Structures are given as C-alpha cells and as structure tokens.
Amino acid sequence: MAVKIEQPNVLVVEGEEEKRFFGALIEHLQLQNIQIMPIGGKNQLRQNLKVLAMSPGFSRVISLGVVRDADTDPKAAFQSVCDALQATDLPTPERPLLPVGEKPRVAVLILPGVDREGALEDICLDAVAQDPAMLCVEQYLQCLQQEGLSLPDNMSKAKVQVFLASRRKAGLRLGEAAEKGYWPWDAEAFDRVKDFLQQIGS
C-alpha cells in the first residue's frame, strides 16, 4: 500500500465503498483537512496501519480515526483494531469513540455499534427505516421466503441493494448512493458517525 499523507487528519476505513460513503458525509458536514485511507479490508488493518505509520508526513498527523464493522462480534472487532494500533506503537483507546494520545490523537468507531452486530449497511438501513420503500423491501424478501427460494447470506447488504433499486438511479453501491445524496444525513442513525467525524476533524 503506497501512502502519501497530505492532510493533518487521517480516517482509516475498510475499502473503497466506505471511502466514498465517508467522503460524501465529510463533504456534507463541510469538514476540512481529513484524508480518507481505505485499508484494503479488515484483515489488512495491522499490516497497512504499519505502512501508514512509516509513511512520509505521518509525523505531522494530528488526529487518526479508525472505522471497522462489528460483523458478528463487536467487542472482538474493537479488540482487533486495538491490537493493530498496539502493534504499530500507536495510542490505543480503552473503548470506542474515546480519543486518546497526542500527535496523533487516536479514536476508533465500530459500526453499527460497540454492543451490536452488523456493519455500515445497518446504520444506513436505520436511517431509511421510515422510508415507504422499506415496506416493499421487506415484502420482496418475504416473497422469496414464501416461494421457498434461498435468502441472501447477508440480509443487510441485500436490503440496501433492494432499497437502492427503488431510487431514481438504480444499481448504485452504498458509497455511490451516498455521493448521490440517497442517504438522509439528518437522520438520527448517523448522529454518532457525524460526532466521530467532527471529533477527527476538530
């Protein structure tokens, strides 16, 4: 992973879709000086975090945020980030959302929450829970089940895709949808994420 650090605040995310999603939200919040670094997947976090820390310009980084999906075990997800930070000799917080250290100040965000399984998709689904299209999403999946068809392994990802198929420009991925303004940033579901980003950019 070749890295060129150009901003004093760095946000580490899992992949390109997350980069696009957080980029759109950062633009919405009008935050400045935040560079988003896709780490190439959670399994690459430790290795690529070390590369990041050895990159030219890292000594000038003021704030470092790390975002990871909880998947099936939010506590294990947080611990894996902490292990990667410790292996890189970076400040390690005691819990998510709690910044620690100086230059860089480090904070970790686990999605959808430290006590909840899931991923970024679940936050987005929470944000559109009251959208009329979500009733159709649920009916579609119920129809599959009633017809004896196999349901998707990852229901949250499936629901996001079906929901986005209801928008004017169908076929977008989660990050692309964020850039198009399809996620309601003012929804309460995004409050914790916005607070985290403002903390990173402050």
Side-chain angles (χ1 to χ4, degrees):
M1 183 182 80
V3 174
K4 183 179 181 181
I5 298 174
E6 300 173 330
Q7 299 293 346
N9 306 304
V10 175
L11 181 68
V12 172
V13 299
E14 289 189 20
E16 287 298 328
E17 282 305 305
E18 288 83 359
K19 179 180 179 180
R20 297 179 79 159
F21 174 89
F22 282 100
L25 182 49
I26 286 169
E27 183 177 349
H28 170 77
L29 295 172
Q30 297 183 325
L31 296 174
Q32 306 294 322
N33 305 321
I34 299 179
Q35 184 173 353
I36 307 173
M37 297 277 194
I39 211 74
K42 59 183 72 70
N43 294 331
Q44 302 296 318
L45 178 61
R46 180 182 294 227
Q47 174 186 340
N48 286 338
L49 204 55
K50 287 183 177 181
V51 173
L52 177 67
M54 293 186 293
S55 299
F58 188 79
S59 61
R60 296 191 295 274
V61 172
I62 296 171
S63 183
L64 173 68
V66 182
V67 181
R68 221 209 96 154
D69 288 339
D71 296 327
T72 59
D73 191 336
K75 289 183 173 58
F78 175 65
Q79 188 59 52
S80 75
V81 176
C82 291
D83 291 345
L85 290 167
Q86 289 173 344
T88 315
D89 293 325
L90 287 168
T92 305
E94 295 180 5
R95 63 178 185 272
L97 303 176
L98 177 69
V100 63
E102 295 181 7
K103 290 201 73 179
R105 182 177 70 249
V106 176
V108 176
L109 175 65
I110 301 298
L111 296 176
V114 69
D115 296 315
R116 181 181 170 195
E117 296 180 9
L120 175 58
E121 286 83 358
D122 294 283
I123 295 282
C124 294
L125 291 171
D126 290 345
V128 298
Q130 302 306 314
D131 190 294
M134 285 306 297
L135 176 60
C136 303
V137 171
E138 296 296 341
Q139 289 174 340
Y140 167 72
L141 293 169
Q142 287 171 10
C143 178
L144 293 180
Q145 195 168 24
Q146 289 167 0
E147 293 298 324
L149 299 172
S150 298
L151 292 175
D153 292 333
N154 190 317
M155 289 296 288
S156 296
K157 287 184 182 294
K159 288 180 180 181
V160 164
Q161 290 178 354
V162 177
F163 171 77
L164 291 177
S166 74
R167 303 298 92 172
R168 182 174 295 276
K169 184 175 175 59
L172 299 180
R173 296 171 66 87
L174 186 145
E176 294 175 312
E179 294 170 344
K180 289 290 185 182
Y182 288 167
W183 303 119
W185 297 131
D186 293 336
E188 184 179 343
F190 291 126
D191 285 353
R192 199 160 50 90
V193 181
K194 290 189 287 189
D195 289 345
F196 178 78
L197 293 175
Q198 288 166 337
Q199 185 181 81
I200 296 299
S202 62

